[in-house]
Amino acid sequence: MSKERPSFGSGRFGRRSGARPILRPALMGRLDAADGMVVVVGGAGAGKSTLLDAWVAARGGAMVDLADGSLGEWEFGEASPAEWKTGGALAVDGVTAADGLGLEWLTGRRGVVVAAEEEPGIDGVERISARELVFAEDETYQVLAGAFGDAEAADALAPDLHLLTNGWPGLVALAGAWLAQRPDAERRQWLRTLARVERGLAEYLVPAVLAGLDGGDREVVRRLTRLPVLDARLADQLDITEDLWAVPPFVQELARRPGWFAVPDGWRAAIASELPMPAVEVAALRAAYAAAM
């Protein structure tokens, strides 16, 4: 592969500057060109939330995650009722079949994008499927280059990783983070071990990447998984960390809100299973968060 060699700073995994977002001009162009609502459908790790975040950041507008509540009843949403009807880009994440009927009145509005893990049953819209969200090989390379901080090492492993993951964005990001935790000289050998994993790659890689984090990063991931978004002020105020950074792929900076970080919805359930938190502790954390907002 012949690629431009980006420059990356050095640093310990999870403490280097956040990897560059993967630009997806073809998908962004489809969102821009649609005459009405676009529905993006794909399972966990398909890259739906990242695409919506990047689009809103580039075009201006609002993004609401319905995983934090029901239609018109979200605690941490950013859109006012007026923004739902007119204005710039409106991205609605975390949509389920139960939300479909409530969103039908927006089908003819330009600049509306809806993301769901399963088909929400909204008629008369343009659809982007999970198959259309997969990475091209060059995009797999870009993820590895960001994870390694080494363009040449990424170039050497990207073709094999792309074949192994079929370009599924979440798996590429997980595998990149996992390989970045290994010495450079051993990465190809470790990549070969992934081909022999008998269970699903995500099921194998999520606990493996979490285990490879240091205790401080792992605790940030554990606590932020129970919150919608976090910035440095809130992280310090809630005594989560005094040094808030991206912890790829689990803690990502929001393109539309620089300085704010979130755990993608697709990883929350898996992380919560691996890093449990007593219900009373979750309730106390969320109460302190609400009071600090």
Side-chain angles (χ1 to χ4, degrees), residues 79-146:
S80 68
E83 289 172 307
W84 280 76
K85 299 172 185 176
T86 60
L90 173 61
V92 188
D93 202 1
V95 171
T96 67
D99 301 315
L101 185 62
L103 289 168
E104 284 186 347
W105 65 283
L106 287 168
T107 55
R109 179 195 183 285
R110 286 183 62 89
V112 177
V113 182
V114 167
E117 290 199 8
E118 298 181 357
E119 176 57 53
I122 304 173
D123 295 326
V125 299
E126 181 174 346
R127 283 174 168 77
I128 294 177
S129 68
R131 180 178 298 179
E132 296 171 280
L133 292 169
V134 299
F135 283 152
E137 186 179 309
D138 186 66
E139 292 169 322
T140 297
Y141 157 79
Q142 292 177 52
V143 173
L144 280 185

Short mmCIF file of all heavy atoms in Angstrom, two decimals, residues 79-146:
data_model
loop_
_atom_site.label_atom_id
_atom_site.label_comp_id
_atom_site.label_asym_id
_atom_site.label_seq_id
_atom_site.Cartn_x
_atom_site.Cartn_y
_atom_site.Cartn_z
N ALA A 79 -30.69 19.25 21.84
CA ALA A 79 -31.58 19.88 20.88
C ALA A 79 -32.83 20.42 21.56
O ALA A 79 -33.43 19.76 22.40
CB ALA A 79 -31.99 18.88 19.80
N SER A 80 -33.23 21.62 21.20
CA SER A 80 -34.50 22.18 21.67
C SER A 80 -35.58 21.76 20.68
O SER A 80 -35.29 21.36 19.56
CB SER A 80 -34.42 23.71 21.70
OG SER A 80 -34.34 24.22 20.39
N PRO A 81 -36.87 21.86 21.07
CA PRO A 81 -37.93 21.48 20.13
C PRO A 81 -37.83 22.22 18.80
O PRO A 81 -38.09 21.66 17.75
CB PRO A 81 -39.20 21.85 20.89
CG PRO A 81 -38.82 21.71 22.33
CD PRO A 81 -37.39 22.17 22.40
N ALA A 82 -37.42 23.50 18.81
CA ALA A 82 -37.31 24.25 17.56
C ALA A 82 -36.28 23.64 16.64
O ALA A 82 -36.45 23.59 15.41
CB ALA A 82 -36.95 25.70 17.86
N GLU A 83 -35.18 23.15 17.18
CA GLU A 83 -34.12 22.56 16.37
C GLU A 83 -34.56 21.25 15.73
O GLU A 83 -34.00 20.82 14.74
CB GLU A 83 -32.86 22.35 17.21
CG GLU A 83 -32.16 23.66 17.56
CD GLU A 83 -31.04 23.44 18.55
OE1 GLU A 83 -31.31 22.83 19.61
OE2 GLU A 83 -29.92 23.87 18.27
N TRP A 84 -35.56 20.61 16.33
CA TRP A 84 -36.07 19.39 15.73
C TRP A 84 -36.82 19.70 14.45
O TRP A 84 -36.90 18.85 13.56
CB TRP A 84 -37.00 18.68 16.72
CG TRP A 84 -36.28 17.91 17.76
CD1 TRP A 84 -35.64 18.40 18.85
CD2 TRP A 84 -36.12 16.50 17.81
NE1 TRP A 84 -35.09 17.38 19.58
CE2 TRP A 84 -35.38 16.20 18.97
CE3 TRP A 84 -36.54 15.45 16.99
CZ2 TRP A 84 -35.04 14.91 19.31
CZ3 TRP A 84 -36.21 14.15 17.34
CH2 TRP A 84 -35.47 13.89 18.49
N LYS A 85 -37.41 20.88 14.35
CA LYS A 85 -38.28 21.19 13.21
C LYS A 85 -37.53 21.85 12.06
O LYS A 85 -37.80 21.59 10.90
CB LYS A 85 -39.42 22.10 13.68
CG LYS A 85 -40.29 21.45 14.76
CD LYS A 85 -41.29 22.44 15.32
CE LYS A 85 -42.08 21.83 16.48
NZ LYS A 85 -42.99 22.80 17.12
N THR A 86 -36.62 22.76 12.37
CA THR A 86 -35.92 23.50 11.33
C THR A 86 -34.46 23.65 11.72
O THR A 86 -34.07 23.32 12.83
CB THR A 86 -36.53 24.90 11.15
OG1 THR A 86 -36.42 25.61 12.38
CG2 THR A 86 -37.99 24.83 10.73
N GLY A 87 -33.66 24.22 10.81
CA GLY A 87 -32.29 24.54 11.16
C GLY A 87 -31.29 23.58 10.55
O GLY A 87 -31.54 22.98 9.50
N GLY A 88 -30.16 23.42 11.22
CA GLY A 88 -29.05 22.65 10.67
C GLY A 88 -29.21 21.17 10.88
O GLY A 88 -30.31 20.64 11.00
N ALA A 89 -28.08 20.50 10.93
CA ALA A 89 -28.07 19.06 11.05
C ALA A 89 -28.71 18.62 12.37
O ALA A 89 -28.52 19.25 13.40
CB ALA A 89 -26.64 18.55 10.98
N LEU A 90 -29.47 17.55 12.30
CA LEU A 90 -30.07 16.95 13.50
C LEU A 90 -29.79 15.46 13.45
O LEU A 90 -30.28 14.75 12.56
CB LEU A 90 -31.57 17.21 13.55
CG LEU A 90 -32.32 16.48 14.68
CD1 LEU A 90 -31.81 16.92 16.05
CD2 LEU A 90 -33.83 16.73 14.57
N ALA A 91 -29.00 14.97 14.37
CA ALA A 91 -28.66 13.56 14.45
C ALA A 91 -29.31 12.96 15.68
O ALA A 91 -29.20 13.51 16.78
CB ALA A 91 -27.14 13.38 14.51
N VAL A 92 -29.99 11.84 15.50
CA VAL A 92 -30.69 11.16 16.59
C VAL A 92 -30.14 9.75 16.70
O VAL A 92 -30.34 8.91 15.82
CB VAL A 92 -32.21 11.13 16.35
CG1 VAL A 92 -32.92 10.59 17.60
CG2 VAL A 92 -32.74 12.50 15.98
N ASP A 93 -29.42 9.49 17.78
CA ASP A 93 -28.76 8.20 17.98
C ASP A 93 -29.57 7.36 18.96
O ASP A 93 -30.44 7.86 19.67
CB ASP A 93 -27.34 8.43 18.52
CG ASP A 93 -26.41 7.27 18.26
OD1 ASP A 93 -26.84 6.28 17.64
OD2 ASP A 93 -25.24 7.35 18.69
N GLY A 94 -29.27 6.06 19.00
CA GLY A 94 -29.91 5.18 19.97
C GLY A 94 -31.38 4.93 19.71
O GLY A 94 -32.15 4.65 20.63
N VAL A 95 -31.80 5.01 18.46
CA VAL A 95 -33.22 4.83 18.11
C VAL A 95 -33.57 3.35 18.11
O VAL A 95 -32.79 2.50 17.67
CB VAL A 95 -33.50 5.46 16.73
CG1 VAL A 95 -34.89 5.11 16.23
CG2 VAL A 95 -33.33 6.97 16.80
N THR A 96 -34.76 3.03 18.60
CA THR A 96 -35.27 1.66 18.59
C THR A 96 -36.57 1.63 17.80
O THR A 96 -37.10 2.66 17.39
CB THR A 96 -35.54 1.15 20.01
OG1 THR A 96 -36.64 1.90 20.58
CG2 THR A 96 -34.31 1.33 20.90
N ALA A 97 -37.11 0.44 17.60
CA ALA A 97 -38.37 0.29 16.88
C ALA A 97 -39.49 1.05 17.58
O ALA A 97 -40.40 1.57 16.93
CB ALA A 97 -38.72 -1.19 16.75
N ALA A 98 -39.41 1.15 18.90
CA ALA A 98 -40.44 1.87 19.66
C ALA A 98 -40.43 3.36 19.36
O ALA A 98 -41.44 4.05 19.57
CB ALA A 98 -40.24 1.64 21.16
N ASP A 99 -39.31 3.89 18.88
CA ASP A 99 -39.21 5.31 18.58
C ASP A 99 -39.62 5.66 17.16
O ASP A 99 -39.80 6.84 16.83
CB ASP A 99 -37.76 5.80 18.77
CG ASP A 99 -37.23 5.58 20.18
OD1 ASP A 99 -37.97 5.89 21.13
OD2 ASP A 99 -36.09 5.10 20.32
N GLY A 100 -39.73 4.64 16.30
CA GLY A 100 -39.95 4.90 14.89
C GLY A 100 -41.16 5.76 14.61
O GLY A 100 -41.09 6.73 13.84
N LEU A 101 -42.31 5.42 15.19
CA LEU A 101 -43.54 6.16 14.94
C LEU A 101 -43.40 7.62 15.36
O LEU A 101 -43.87 8.54 14.68
CB LEU A 101 -44.70 5.51 15.68
CG LEU A 101 -46.09 6.11 15.42
CD1 LEU A 101 -46.45 5.97 13.95
CD2 LEU A 101 -47.14 5.41 16.29
N GLY A 102 -42.71 7.87 16.47
CA GLY A 102 -42.55 9.23 16.96
C GLY A 102 -41.63 10.08 16.11
O GLY A 102 -41.61 11.31 16.25
N LEU A 103 -40.86 9.45 15.22
CA LEU A 103 -39.94 10.19 14.37
C LEU A 103 -40.45 10.37 12.95
O LEU A 103 -39.83 11.09 12.15
CB LEU A 103 -38.58 9.47 14.32
CG LEU A 103 -37.75 9.53 15.60
CD1 LEU A 103 -36.59 8.53 15.52
CD2 LEU A 103 -37.20 10.93 15.84
N GLU A 104 -41.57 9.76 12.61
CA GLU A 104 -42.03 9.78 11.23
C GLU A 104 -42.31 11.18 10.73
O GLU A 104 -42.15 11.46 9.54
CB GLU A 104 -43.28 8.90 11.08
CG GLU A 104 -42.96 7.41 11.06
CD GLU A 104 -44.17 6.57 10.75
OE1 GLU A 104 -45.30 7.11 10.81
OE2 GLU A 104 -44.00 5.37 10.46
N TRP A 105 -42.71 12.10 11.59
CA TRP A 105 -43.03 13.45 11.15
C TRP A 105 -41.80 14.22 10.67
O TRP A 105 -41.91 15.26 10.02
CB TRP A 105 -43.71 14.24 12.27
CG TRP A 105 -42.87 14.49 13.49
CD1 TRP A 105 -42.57 13.59 14.47
CD2 TRP A 105 -42.20 15.69 13.83
NE1 TRP A 105 -41.77 14.17 15.42
CE2 TRP A 105 -41.52 15.46 15.05
CE3 TRP A 105 -42.10 16.96 13.25
CZ2 TRP A 105 -40.76 16.43 15.69
CZ3 TRP A 105 -41.35 17.94 13.89
CH2 TRP A 105 -40.68 17.66 15.09
N LEU A 106 -40.60 13.68 10.94
CA LEU A 106 -39.37 14.32 10.50
C LEU A 106 -38.82 13.73 9.19
O LEU A 106 -37.76 14.16 8.73
CB LEU A 106 -38.28 14.16 11.58
CG LEU A 106 -38.45 15.01 12.84
CD1 LEU A 106 -37.50 14.53 13.92
CD2 LEU A 106 -38.21 16.48 12.52
N THR A 107 -39.53 12.79 8.58
CA THR A 107 -38.97 12.09 7.42
C THR A 107 -38.70 13.01 6.25
O THR A 107 -37.78 12.76 5.47
CB THR A 107 -39.89 10.95 6.97
OG1 THR A 107 -41.20 11.48 6.71
CG2 THR A 107 -39.98 9.86 8.03
N GLY A 108 -39.48 14.06 6.08
CA GLY A 108 -39.29 14.97 4.95
C GLY A 108 -38.34 16.11 5.22
O GLY A 108 -38.09 16.93 4.33
N ARG A 109 -37.80 16.21 6.42
CA ARG A 109 -36.92 17.33 6.77
C ARG A 109 -35.49 17.02 6.36
O ARG A 109 -34.93 16.00 6.71
CB ARG A 109 -36.96 17.60 8.27
CG ARG A 109 -36.06 18.73 8.77
CD ARG A 109 -35.94 18.61 10.28
NE ARG A 109 -35.17 19.64 10.95
CZ ARG A 109 -33.85 19.76 10.95
NH1 ARG A 109 -33.11 18.94 10.22
NH2 ARG A 109 -33.24 20.70 11.65
N ARG A 110 -34.88 17.90 5.59
CA ARG A 110 -33.48 17.73 5.21
C ARG A 110 -32.59 17.86 6.44
O ARG A 110 -32.87 18.62 7.35
CB ARG A 110 -33.07 18.78 4.18
CG ARG A 110 -33.61 18.55 2.79
CD ARG A 110 -33.08 19.60 1.83
NE ARG A 110 -31.63 19.56 1.72
CZ ARG A 110 -30.97 18.81 0.84
NH1 ARG A 110 -31.63 18.04 0.01
NH2 ARG A 110 -29.64 18.84 0.81
N GLY A 111 -31.50 17.10 6.43
CA GLY A 111 -30.52 17.24 7.50
C GLY A 111 -30.82 16.43 8.74
O GLY A 111 -30.23 16.66 9.79
N VAL A 112 -31.73 15.46 8.64
CA VAL A 112 -32.04 14.58 9.77
C VAL A 112 -31.42 13.21 9.53
O VAL A 112 -31.65 12.60 8.48
CB VAL A 112 -33.56 14.43 10.00
CG1 VAL A 112 -33.83 13.44 11.14
CG2 VAL A 112 -34.19 15.78 10.30
N VAL A 113 -30.62 12.74 10.47
CA VAL A 113 -30.03 11.41 10.38
C VAL A 113 -30.35 10.65 11.66
O VAL A 113 -30.15 11.16 12.77
CB VAL A 113 -28.50 11.49 10.19
CG1 VAL A 113 -27.92 10.09 10.04
CG2 VAL A 113 -28.15 12.32 8.96
N VAL A 114 -30.84 9.44 11.50
CA VAL A 114 -31.25 8.60 12.61
C VAL A 114 -30.39 7.34 12.61
O VAL A 114 -30.16 6.75 11.55
CB VAL A 114 -32.75 8.23 12.47
CG1 VAL A 114 -33.13 7.12 13.42
CG2 VAL A 114 -33.62 9.46 12.70
N ALA A 115 -29.89 6.93 13.77
CA ALA A 115 -29.06 5.74 13.86
C ALA A 115 -29.71 4.72 14.78
O ALA A 115 -30.19 5.06 15.87
CB ALA A 115 -27.66 6.09 14.38
N ALA A 116 -29.72 3.47 14.34
CA ALA A 116 -30.36 2.39 15.11
C ALA A 116 -29.59 1.10 14.90
O ALA A 116 -28.99 0.88 13.84
CB ALA A 116 -31.81 2.22 14.67
N GLU A 117 -29.60 0.24 15.91
CA GLU A 117 -28.96 -1.07 15.77
C GLU A 117 -29.81 -2.02 14.93
O GLU A 117 -29.28 -2.90 14.25
CB GLU A 117 -28.67 -1.68 17.14
CG GLU A 117 -27.58 -0.97 17.90
CD GLU A 117 -26.99 -1.82 19.01
OE1 GLU A 117 -27.33 -3.02 19.10
OE2 GLU A 117 -26.17 -1.29 19.78
N GLU A 118 -31.12 -1.84 15.00
CA GLU A 118 -32.04 -2.66 14.22
C GLU A 118 -32.99 -1.74 13.47
O GLU A 118 -33.23 -0.60 13.87
CB GLU A 118 -32.79 -3.63 15.11
CG GLU A 118 -31.88 -4.63 15.83
CD GLU A 118 -32.66 -5.60 16.70
OE1 GLU A 118 -33.90 -5.46 16.78
OE2 GLU A 118 -32.03 -6.49 17.30
N GLU A 119 -33.56 -2.24 12.40
CA GLU A 119 -34.46 -1.46 11.58
C GLU A 119 -35.60 -0.85 12.40
O GLU A 119 -36.35 -1.57 13.06
CB GLU A 119 -35.05 -2.34 10.47
CG GLU A 119 -36.07 -1.66 9.60
CD GLU A 119 -35.52 -0.41 8.94
OE1 GLU A 119 -34.46 -0.50 8.28
OE2 GLU A 119 -36.14 0.65 9.10
N PRO A 120 -35.73 0.51 12.43
CA PRO A 120 -36.76 1.13 13.27
C PRO A 120 -38.14 1.21 12.63
O PRO A 120 -39.09 1.70 13.27
CB PRO A 120 -36.19 2.54 13.51
CG PRO A 120 -35.40 2.82 12.28
CD PRO A 120 -34.81 1.49 11.85
N GLY A 121 -38.26 0.78 11.38
CA GLY A 121 -39.57 0.75 10.76
C GLY A 121 -40.09 2.11 10.34
O GLY A 121 -41.30 2.37 10.44
N ILE A 122 -39.23 2.99 9.86
CA ILE A 122 -39.64 4.31 9.38
C ILE A 122 -39.66 4.25 7.86
O ILE A 122 -38.64 3.96 7.22
CB ILE A 122 -38.68 5.41 9.86
CG1 ILE A 122 -38.57 5.39 11.38
CG2 ILE A 122 -39.13 6.77 9.38
CD1 ILE A 122 -37.52 6.34 11.93
N ASP A 123 -40.79 4.55 7.26
CA ASP A 123 -40.94 4.45 5.81
C ASP A 123 -40.55 5.75 5.12
O ASP A 123 -40.54 6.82 5.72
CB ASP A 123 -42.39 4.10 5.45
CG ASP A 123 -42.80 2.73 5.96
OD1 ASP A 123 -41.92 1.84 5.99
OD2 ASP A 123 -43.97 2.55 6.34
N GLY A 124 -40.25 5.64 3.83
CA GLY A 124 -40.01 6.81 3.01
C GLY A 124 -38.71 7.53 3.31
O GLY A 124 -38.65 8.76 3.20
N VAL A 125 -37.66 6.79 3.69
CA VAL A 125 -36.39 7.42 4.03
C VAL A 125 -35.26 6.73 3.25
O VAL A 125 -35.42 5.63 2.74
CB VAL A 125 -36.09 7.31 5.54
CG1 VAL A 125 -37.17 8.01 6.36
CG2 VAL A 125 -35.96 5.85 5.99
N GLU A 126 -34.13 7.41 3.15
CA GLU A 126 -32.94 6.78 2.60
C GLU A 126 -32.25 5.99 3.70
O GLU A 126 -32.22 6.42 4.86
CB GLU A 126 -31.98 7.82 2.04
CG GLU A 126 -30.72 7.23 1.43
CD GLU A 126 -29.84 8.24 0.74
OE1 GLU A 126 -30.31 9.36 0.50
OE2 GLU A 126 -28.68 7.90 0.44
N ARG A 127 -31.68 4.84 3.34
CA ARG A 127 -31.05 3.98 4.34
C ARG A 127 -29.58 3.75 4.00
O ARG A 127 -29.21 3.60 2.84
CB ARG A 127 -31.77 2.64 4.43
CG ARG A 127 -33.08 2.72 5.20
CD ARG A 127 -33.86 1.43 5.16
NE ARG A 127 -34.94 1.45 6.12
CZ ARG A 127 -36.10 2.10 5.94
NH1 ARG A 127 -36.29 2.78 4.82
NH2 ARG A 127 -37.02 2.09 6.86
N ILE A 128 -28.77 3.72 5.06
CA ILE A 128 -27.38 3.31 4.96
C ILE A 128 -27.23 2.07 5.82
O ILE A 128 -27.50 2.09 7.02
CB ILE A 128 -26.43 4.42 5.44
CG1 ILE A 128 -26.52 5.63 4.49
CG2 ILE A 128 -24.99 3.92 5.51
CD1 ILE A 128 -25.67 6.81 4.93
N SER A 129 -26.80 0.98 5.21
CA SER A 129 -26.76 -0.31 5.90
C SER A 129 -25.41 -0.53 6.57
O SER A 129 -24.43 0.18 6.31
CB SER A 129 -27.03 -1.43 4.91
OG SER A 129 -25.95 -1.54 3.99
N ALA A 130 -25.35 -1.56 7.40
CA ALA A 130 -24.10 -1.92 8.07
C ALA A 130 -23.01 -2.24 7.05
O ALA A 130 -21.84 -1.91 7.25
CB ALA A 130 -24.33 -3.11 8.99
N ARG A 131 -23.38 -2.87 5.95
CA ARG A 131 -22.39 -3.21 4.92
C ARG A 131 -21.74 -1.96 4.35
O ARG A 131 -20.56 -1.97 4.00
CB ARG A 131 -23.08 -4.01 3.80
CG ARG A 131 -22.14 -4.42 2.68
CD ARG A 131 -22.85 -5.24 1.63
NE ARG A 131 -23.38 -6.48 2.18
CZ ARG A 131 -24.07 -7.37 1.48
NH1 ARG A 131 -24.31 -7.15 0.20
NH2 ARG A 131 -24.52 -8.48 2.04
N GLU A 132 -22.50 -0.87 4.27
CA GLU A 132 -21.96 0.38 3.72
C GLU A 132 -21.10 1.14 4.74
O GLU A 132 -20.41 2.08 4.37
CB GLU A 132 -23.10 1.27 3.24
CG GLU A 132 -23.90 0.67 2.09
CD GLU A 132 -25.15 1.46 1.79
OE1 GLU A 132 -26.16 1.29 2.52
OE2 GLU A 132 -25.13 2.25 0.83
N LEU A 133 -21.14 0.73 6.00
CA LEU A 133 -20.36 1.40 7.04
C LEU A 133 -18.97 0.80 7.21
O LEU A 133 -18.14 1.38 7.90
CB LEU A 133 -21.10 1.34 8.38
CG LEU A 133 -22.40 2.14 8.49
CD1 LEU A 133 -23.14 1.77 9.77
CD2 LEU A 133 -22.12 3.64 8.46
N VAL A 134 -18.72 -0.37 6.64
CA VAL A 134 -17.42 -1.03 6.87
C VAL A 134 -16.29 -0.19 6.29
O VAL A 134 -16.48 0.57 5.33
CB VAL A 134 -17.39 -2.45 6.28
CG1 VAL A 134 -18.44 -3.33 6.92
CG2 VAL A 134 -17.53 -2.42 4.77
N PHE A 135 -15.12 -0.32 6.89
CA PHE A 135 -13.94 0.41 6.43
C PHE A 135 -13.40 -0.17 5.13
O PHE A 135 -13.42 -1.38 4.91
CB PHE A 135 -12.83 0.33 7.47
CG PHE A 135 -13.00 1.22 8.66
CD1 PHE A 135 -12.44 0.87 9.88
CD2 PHE A 135 -13.70 2.42 8.58
CE1 PHE A 135 -12.57 1.69 10.99
CE2 PHE A 135 -13.84 3.25 9.67
CZ PHE A 135 -13.27 2.88 10.89
N ALA A 136 -12.86 0.70 4.31
CA ALA A 136 -11.96 0.29 3.25
C ALA A 136 -10.61 -0.02 3.89
O ALA A 136 -10.34 0.36 5.03
CB ALA A 136 -11.81 1.39 2.21
N GLU A 137 -9.74 -0.72 3.15
CA GLU A 137 -8.46 -1.09 3.73
C GLU A 137 -7.65 0.13 4.16
O GLU A 137 -6.97 0.10 5.20
CB GLU A 137 -7.65 -1.93 2.74
CG GLU A 137 -6.36 -2.48 3.32
CD GLU A 137 -5.58 -3.31 2.34
OE1 GLU A 137 -6.18 -4.24 1.74
OE2 GLU A 137 -4.37 -3.05 2.17
N ASP A 138 -7.72 1.21 3.41
CA ASP A 138 -6.97 2.41 3.78
C ASP A 138 -7.47 2.99 5.09
O ASP A 138 -6.69 3.55 5.87
CB ASP A 138 -7.05 3.46 2.68
CG ASP A 138 -6.16 4.66 2.96
OD1 ASP A 138 -4.93 4.48 2.97
OD2 ASP A 138 -6.71 5.75 3.21
N GLU A 139 -8.76 2.85 5.36
CA GLU A 139 -9.30 3.34 6.63
C GLU A 139 -8.84 2.46 7.79
O GLU A 139 -8.57 2.96 8.89
CB GLU A 139 -10.83 3.41 6.54
CG GLU A 139 -11.30 4.48 5.58
CD GLU A 139 -12.79 4.40 5.28
OE1 GLU A 139 -13.33 3.29 5.16
OE2 GLU A 139 -13.42 5.47 5.14
N THR A 140 -8.73 1.15 7.55
CA THR A 140 -8.15 0.26 8.56
C THR A 140 -6.71 0.69 8.86
O THR A 140 -6.29 0.75 10.03
CB THR A 140 -8.18 -1.20 8.08
OG1 THR A 140 -9.55 -1.61 7.93
CG2 THR A 140 -7.48 -2.13 9.06
N TYR A 141 -5.97 1.00 7.82
CA TYR A 141 -4.60 1.50 8.00
C TYR A 141 -4.58 2.76 8.86
O TYR A 141 -3.74 2.91 9.76
CB TYR A 141 -3.97 1.77 6.64
CG TYR A 141 -2.85 2.76 6.69
CD1 TYR A 141 -1.57 2.39 7.11
CD2 TYR A 141 -3.07 4.10 6.34
CE1 TYR A 141 -0.54 3.31 7.19
CE2 TYR A 141 -2.05 5.03 6.41
CZ TYR A 141 -0.79 4.63 6.83
OH TYR A 141 0.22 5.56 6.91
N GLN A 142 -5.49 3.70 8.59
CA GLN A 142 -5.52 4.95 9.36
C GLN A 142 -5.76 4.70 10.85
O GLN A 142 -5.15 5.35 11.71
CB GLN A 142 -6.59 5.89 8.81
CG GLN A 142 -6.30 6.42 7.42
CD GLN A 142 -7.46 7.27 6.91
OE1 GLN A 142 -7.90 8.20 7.57
NE2 GLN A 142 -7.95 6.95 5.73
N VAL A 143 -6.65 3.75 11.16
CA VAL A 143 -6.91 3.41 12.56
C VAL A 143 -5.65 2.86 13.21
O VAL A 143 -5.28 3.24 14.33
CB VAL A 143 -8.07 2.40 12.67
CG1 VAL A 143 -8.21 1.91 14.12
CG2 VAL A 143 -9.38 3.04 12.21
N LEU A 144 -4.96 1.95 12.52
CA LEU A 144 -3.74 1.37 13.08
C LEU A 144 -2.65 2.42 13.24
O LEU A 144 -1.93 2.42 14.24
CB LEU A 144 -3.23 0.25 12.17
CG LEU A 144 -3.91 -1.12 12.29
CD1 LEU A 144 -3.19 -2.14 11.42
CD2 LEU A 144 -3.96 -1.60 13.73
N ALA A 145 -2.52 3.31 12.27
CA ALA A 145 -1.50 4.35 12.37
C ALA A 145 -1.75 5.23 13.58
O ALA A 145 -0.81 5.64 14.29
CB ALA A 145 -1.48 5.19 11.09
N GLY A 146 -3.01 5.53 13.86
CA GLY A 146 -3.33 6.32 15.04
C GLY A 146 -3.07 5.56 16.33
O GLY A 146 -2.58 6.13 17.31
#
